[in-house]
């Protein structure tokens, strides 16, 4: 097959006003950014309000390998397949962070004949939303430091400041540092650090806001630290919220693009799936669901991660209820979950992974069974998408289909990577049937449950843990947040995406373990509390051979090496 970049560049593109028109969006609502993308005015929400609501489909997955298992590719292929069936499909995905694009994972445009195009634009800057989030976040950090330097009228405790800085680049040397060094006019020395932009609370706020005014109010509630008496200090109290909103006033508008088969794609926001809540924006979904028969959106990593946050955080905020959930599974990932194979990003796959062994697939399918159960916990009908690789053996694919049948769920083999939308038609038909089942959607926990009990509920019911172990610092933070009035908020647990547990080495569906809660942060603006479990980094690092080493410009001025 040609490379993804070659396929993207050879795809025939339609003018974006025609793509928008297929969704019922008038040209007056578009703000073009070159030929690759256009912003959609938030006025589209009101103008489309009388249109019938399409079906709402979330694409999630089994616990992936470090290489990913084609969730975005499946999302795009499914959206295209509805078009093949003569139905309007619209895709809603997150904007890729340039950290992974230049790091281990590469870009996130999909792949093969199921990708968003042009992939260069999607993976590199797009319309500048990531930079706007970075600037807004760091403006608040600057105003925190300036407030202390100018006399600290609010009484912020320098040792209780929780607001650091962010950057959309993987850089391990920025994780922990001391700011304010130098002379008396250079600030107050204190320990701080950087997170990746996708982990910023500003990104989460942007993704969960329903309007510009809602964005302004949520930003005002962001907590930057505490006084010595334990009282929270907010962006509103620092008089920073207005300027931050101004920086984000264009970024709140979703970006319109298209697939290689001219299916409309809404690209908006990029919260990480293992650190943040891992879903694209509410405003994109509100526009897309009125402009499609089927809105297909994606939740980051496995069903224990992005899908759990989709159900309990995003749906709680938006009021939208899903009609079905697609669980992407691959032969190689389920083999890896047998515990017999080691897959490392940047290294060749082990030779024995390609040998026919359906028994290992069945052993690893414990993970698939648990992720099916996790979707059903929320009353949503699951459909298994077997993302087919050319190296799969028929017996191994059949093993996955047999597991789905034993679990009583629909399943389909999908060849969308090689065949585009037509390769995902069996999957689209299964999803359409699932959407016709009556919805029984429910949240996993009530608002009134304590924060500790919410964490414990997710650990036991979704991850399969025997309980939680809350370290002293985390226990103190939870007590502080309950007293500050954050107890009714949902929780967004940051943990490894490579295991149902907090240990990336534990594969399948491990039992007999407990979830360690080492730190807890409040994302009061975004509207959730953020426990950090296990050895989690909010600023990723580059690998020994990062993707950045392969990316360049050729003699014709074209980008090469992007994947």
């Amino acid at each position: 097959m040609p490379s993804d970049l070659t396929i993207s560049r050879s795809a025939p593109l339609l003018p974006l006003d025609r793509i928008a028109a297929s969704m019922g969006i008038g040209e007056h609502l578009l703000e073009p950014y070159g030929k690759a993308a256009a912003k959609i005015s938030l006025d589209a929400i009101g103008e489309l309000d009388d249109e019938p609501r399409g079906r709402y489909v979330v694409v999630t997955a089994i616990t992936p390998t470090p290489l990913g298992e084609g969730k975005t590719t499946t999302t795009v292929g499914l959206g295209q397949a509805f078009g093949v069936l003569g139905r309007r499909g619209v895709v809603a995905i997150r904007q890729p962070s340039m950290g992974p694009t230049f790091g281990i994972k590469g870009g996130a445009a999909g792949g093969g004949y199921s990708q968003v195009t042009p992939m260069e634009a999607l993976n590199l800057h797009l319309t500048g939303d990531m930079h706007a989030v970075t600037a807004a976040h760091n403006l608040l950090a600057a105003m925190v430091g300036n407030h202390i330097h100018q006399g600290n009228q609010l009484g912020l405790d320098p040792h209780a400041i929780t607001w650091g800085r962010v950057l959309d680049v993987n850089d391990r040397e920025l994780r922990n540092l001391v700011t304010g060094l130098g002379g008396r006019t250079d600030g107050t020395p204190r320990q701080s650090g950087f997170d990746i932009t996708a982990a910023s609370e500003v990104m989460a706020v942007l993704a969960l806001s329903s309007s510009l005014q809602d964005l302004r109010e949520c930003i005002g509630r962001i907590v930057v630290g505490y006084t010595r008496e334990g009282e929270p200090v907010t962006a509103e109290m620092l008089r920073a919220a207005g300027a931050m909103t101004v920086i984000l006033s264009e970024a709140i508008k979703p970006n319109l693009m298209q697939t290689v088969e001219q299916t409309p794609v809404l690209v908006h926001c990029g919260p990480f799936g293992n650190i943040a809540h891992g879903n694209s924006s509410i405003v994109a979904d509100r526009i897309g669901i009125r402009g499609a028969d089927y809105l297909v959106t994606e939740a980051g990593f496995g069903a224990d991660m992005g899908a759990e946050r989709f159900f309990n955080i995003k749906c709680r905020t938006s009021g939208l209820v899903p009609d079905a959930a697609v669980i992407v599974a691959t032969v190689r990932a389920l083999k890896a979950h047998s515990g017999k194979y080691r897959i490392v990003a940047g290294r060749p796959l082990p030779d024995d992974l390609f040998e026919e062994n359906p028994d290992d697939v069945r052993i690893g399918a414990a993970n698939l069974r648990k992720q099916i159960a996790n979707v059903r916990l929320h009353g949503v009908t699951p459909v298994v998408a077997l993302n087919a690789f050319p190296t799969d053996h028929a017996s191994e694919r059949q093993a996955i289909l047999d597991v789905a049948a034993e679990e009583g769920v629909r399943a389909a083999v999908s060849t969308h990577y090689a065949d585009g939308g037509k390769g995902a038609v069996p999957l689209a038909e299964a999803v359409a049937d699932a959407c016709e089942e009556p919805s029984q959607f429910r949240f996993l926990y009530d608002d009134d449950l304590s924060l500790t009990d919410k964490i414990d509920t997710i650990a036991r019911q979704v991850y399969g843990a025997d309980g939680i172990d809350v370290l002293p610092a985390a226990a103190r933070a939870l007590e502080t947040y309950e007293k500050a009035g954050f107890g009714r908020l949902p929780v967004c647990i940051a943990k490894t995406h490579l295991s149902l547990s907090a240990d990336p080495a534990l594969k399948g569906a491990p039992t007999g373990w407990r979830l360690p809660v080492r730190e807890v942060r409040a994302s009061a603006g975004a509207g959730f509390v953020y426990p950090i479990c296990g050895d989690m980094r909010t600023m990723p690092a580059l690998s020994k051979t990062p993707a950045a080493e392969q990316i360049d410009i050729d003699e014709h001025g074209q980008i090469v090496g992007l994947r």
Side-chain angles (χ1 to χ4, degrees):
M1 272 185 64
S3 70
D4 290 350
L5 198 52
T6 300
I7 293 171
S8 175
R9 286 176 177 162
S10 63
L13 301 183
L14 290 177
L16 285 170
D17 60 341
R18 288 181 59 184
I19 298 293
S22 71
M23 299 175 60
I25 296 172
E27 188 174 359
H28 65 288
L29 295 169
L30 298 183
E31 300 173 9
Y33 276 70
K35 296 180 180 179
K39 285 285 186 184
I40 301 176
S41 168
L42 297 191
D43 292 341
I45 297 174
E47 291 198 17
L48 293 172
D49 201 40
D50 292 333
E51 296 296 320
R53 176 193 179 280
R55 296 296 194 181
Y56 195 26
V57 180
V58 60
V59 178
T60 181
I62 62 172
T63 302
T65 67
L67 306 177
E69 300 310 311
K71 188 154 39 55
T72 304
T73 309
T74 303
T75 301
V76 174
L78 178 57
Q80 293 180 158
F82 284 122
V84 174
L85 292 173
R87 303 171 188 176
R88 292 187 305 162
V90 171
V91 173
I93 61 172
R94 291 172 292 164
Q95 181 180 343
S97 163
M98 288 196 295
T101 295
F102 290 115
I104 293 176
K105 193 175 181 185
Y113 290 95
S114 291
Q115 61 171 301
V116 182
T117 187
M119 66 175 293
E120 306 102 302
L122 178 65
N123 288 312
L124 303 171
H125 306 289
L126 196 55
T127 57
D129 294 350
M130 284 282 183
H131 303 310
V133 171
T134 302
H137 182 113
N138 291 340
L139 171 63
L140 180 55
M143 293 185 74
V144 168
N146 186 60
H147 182 82
I148 292 174
H149 178 74
Q150 301 294 350
N152 197 7
Q153 183 179 0
L154 295 173
L156 253 174
D157 183 352
H159 299 292
I161 293 172
T162 56
W163 196 257
R165 287 170 170 81
V166 298
L167 189 69
D168 195 33
V169 173
N170 291 358
D171 192 339
R172 62 167 52 83
E173 294 191 7
L174 294 180
R175 287 171 176 166
N176 296 286
L177 47 81
V178 176
T179 62
L181 296 178
R184 190 164 55 88
T185 60
D186 296 323
T188 305
R190 61 183 176 86
Q191 186 171 346
S192 187
F194 277 75
D195 293 336
I196 191 81
T197 296
S200 168
E201 185 180 352
V202 175
M203 179 67 81
V205 167
L206 190 67
L208 293 170
S209 296
S210 58
S211 66
L212 189 60
Q213 189 57 42
D214 183 43
L215 174 66
R216 169 66 179 78
E217 293 173 3
C218 291
I219 287 176
R221 292 197 294 268
I222 289 174
V223 174
V224 301
Y226 298 84
T227 66
R228 288 184 172 83
E229 293 72 35
E231 295 298 318
V233 176
T234 66
E236 192 68 63
M237 295 165 70
L238 288 167
R239 302 181 68 182
M244 293 171 67
T245 306
V246 169
I247 292 173
L248 297 167
S249 60
E250 287 297 309
I252 194 176
K253 301 172 185 176
N255 305 295
L256 177 66
M257 298 185 75
Q258 61 189 292
T259 74
V260 294
E261 295 183 9
Q262 299 89 45
T263 301
V265 182
L266 299 172
V267 181
H268 202 210
C269 301
F272 264 16
N274 57 345
I275 298 171
H277 71 284
N279 285 268
S280 60
S281 76
I282 286 174
V283 293
D285 285 3
R286 284 186 168 165
I287 292 171
I289 207 164
R290 298 291 182 176
D293 297 322
Y294 293 87
L295 173 64
V296 185
T297 190
E298 175 193 359
F301 297 121
D304 58 307
M305 304 290 289
E308 184 273 313
R309 288 87 174 266
F310 173 85
F311 297 138
N312 293 300
I313 296 177
K314 186 177 182 182
C315 291
R316 230 184 195 97
T317 304
S318 71
L320 297 175
V321 175
D323 295 290
V326 175
I327 303 174
V328 179
T330 63
V331 166
R332 74 177 184 188
L334 291 182
K335 278 181 154 181
H337 278 294
S338 71
K340 298 180 181 179
Y341 309 87
R342 187 164 181 259
I343 297 177
V344 180
R347 297 183 186 176
L349 293 170
D351 290 339
D352 54 352
L353 188 69
F354 301 107
E355 296 175 3
E356 184 173 7
N357 198 328
D359 289 341
D360 285 352
V361 175
R362 293 189 188 97
I363 293 169
N367 187 272
L368 173 59
R369 294 181 192 274
K370 184 67 179 83
Q371 301 292 23
I372 290 171
N374 286 339
V375 170
R376 282 175 162 163
L377 270 176
H378 299 88
V380 179
T381 303
V383 177
V384 173
L386 200 174
N387 183 21
F389 284 58
T391 52
D392 299 344
H393 295 275
S395 63
E396 295 170 334
R397 292 182 183 176
Q398 189 59 51
I400 296 176
L401 297 176
D402 289 345
V403 169
E406 291 164 10
E407 294 294 324
V409 302
R410 296 173 179 86
V413 176
S414 193
T415 60
H416 48 273
Y417 181 88
D419 300 320
K422 66 182 181 181
V425 164
L427 175 61
E429 291 173 334
V431 170
D433 289 343
C435 287
E436 295 307 310
E437 294 189 6
S439 175
Q440 298 177 323
F441 177 71
R442 56 185 174 271
F443 299 124
L444 186 63
Y445 49 79
D446 294 331
D447 292 340
D448 291 337
L449 210 60
S450 73
L451 294 173
T452 300
D453 287 342
K454 289 170 184 172
I455 300 168
D456 188 72
T457 297
I458 295 172
R460 291 177 186 273
Q461 296 194 36
V462 178
Y463 305 158
D466 288 344
I468 62 176
D469 293 322
V470 183
L471 299 185
R476 289 192 297 270
L478 287 167
E479 183 180 2
T480 297
Y481 299 151
E482 292 279 2
K483 289 179 179 177
F486 302 149
R488 289 180 56 82
L489 297 180
V491 294
C492 178
I493 299 178
K495 73 170 187 69
T496 179
H497 60 287
L498 297 174
S499 173
L500 281 162
S501 74
D503 180 354
L506 295 181
K507 303 303 181 184
T511 57
W513 62 279
R514 296 177 66 82
L515 182 72
V517 183
R518 66 174 177 82
E519 183 182 352
V520 184
R521 303 178 186 178
S523 292
F528 56 74
V529 171
Y530 166 24
I532 299 176
C533 300
D535 185 20
M536 277 299 303
R537 297 289 189 180
T538 53
M539 168 58 86
L542 294 175
S543 64
K544 187 175 182 180
T545 55
E549 293 182 359
Q550 307 302 320
I551 298 172
D552 209 335
I553 296 287
D554 67 13
E555 65 273 17
H556 305 293
Q558 288 198 319
I559 296 170
V560 295
L562 190 64
R563 57 180 173 84

